[in-house]
Amino acid sequence: MTTLQHNSFEDYTLGAATFDLSGLPKEYYTLVDGSKSIIWVQPIFQALGLKSLLAASLPVEAFTHAVIRSKDYTAIVIKQPSNYLALLIDPQSDILNERFLGWALSFDATSLKHNPKFQVI
């Protein structure tokens, strides 16, 4: 059942990006047959910068995830143990729940290099 859950959540992924713990981008993954635009990554980069700025000045609770919504996309950024993972999902999907967040917390974005649906840009 875990494999089915993993595949079903990965099927909702339209793009991904990884950031180091200081918030700098590392890799971008886009759909092979989709847009190569990574415009959705900019708000995540800004949100991570704002998080760092706030954490340096104010006592802020532990960051676990953030959701950035627009009319064209929904992006979620998750703090993993060694990096931040951002996932682009369809804005119409309704998968943002505790199970999805748990899956995203342990998802290895480098596995998308072996998924023929994605390309690294």
Side-chain angles (χ1 to χ4, degrees), residues 16 18 26-27 29 85 107-115 120:
T18 57
K26 291 170 38 176
E27 288 189 303
Y29 303 89
L85 169 67
F107 180 66
D108 180 7
T110 61
S111 69
L112 296 177
K113 291 179 183 177
H114 308 291
N115 184 330
V120 179

Side-chain angles (χ1 to χ4, degrees), residues 40-108:
W40 62 275
V41 174
Q42 183 65 32
I44 292 168
F45 179 70
Q46 292 170 330
L48 289 173
L50 180 59
K51 180 209 99 39
S52 295
L53 181 63
L54 288 173
S57 316
L58 302 168
V60 183
E61 290 184 34
F63 175 86
T64 59
H65 72 280
V67 178
I68 300 170
R69 297 180 192 270
S70 84
K71 65 178 183 148
D72 299 322
Y73 64 83
T74 296
I76 183 162
V77 61
I78 300 282
K79 184 175 186 287
Q80 295 181 320
S82 61
N83 65 301
Y84 290 100
L85 169 67
L87 298 171
L88 177 67
I89 57 176
D90 185 322
Q92 305 305 316
S93 68
D94 189 23
I95 63 165
L96 292 178
N97 57 37
E98 290 302 316
R99 285 182 40 226
F100 176 79
L101 293 174
W103 169 82
L105 181 62
S106 63
F107 180 66
D108 180 7

Side-chain angles (χ1 to χ4, degrees), residues 4-57:
L4 291 175
Q5 177 183 342
H6 173 79
N7 288 340
S8 64
F9 283 142
E10 190 171 311
D11 288 343
Y12 285 97
T13 303
L14 303 175
T18 57
F19 298 81
D20 66 21
L21 289 176
S22 64
L24 296 174
K26 291 170 38 176
E27 288 189 303
Y28 306 105
Y29 303 89
T30 62
L31 292 174
V32 170
D33 61 353
S35 169
K36 291 181 177 68
S37 171
I38 55 171
I39 192 91
W40 62 275
V41 174
Q42 183 65 32
I44 292 168
F45 179 70
Q46 292 170 330
L48 289 173
L50 180 59
K51 180 209 99 39
S52 295
L53 181 63
L54 288 173
S57 316

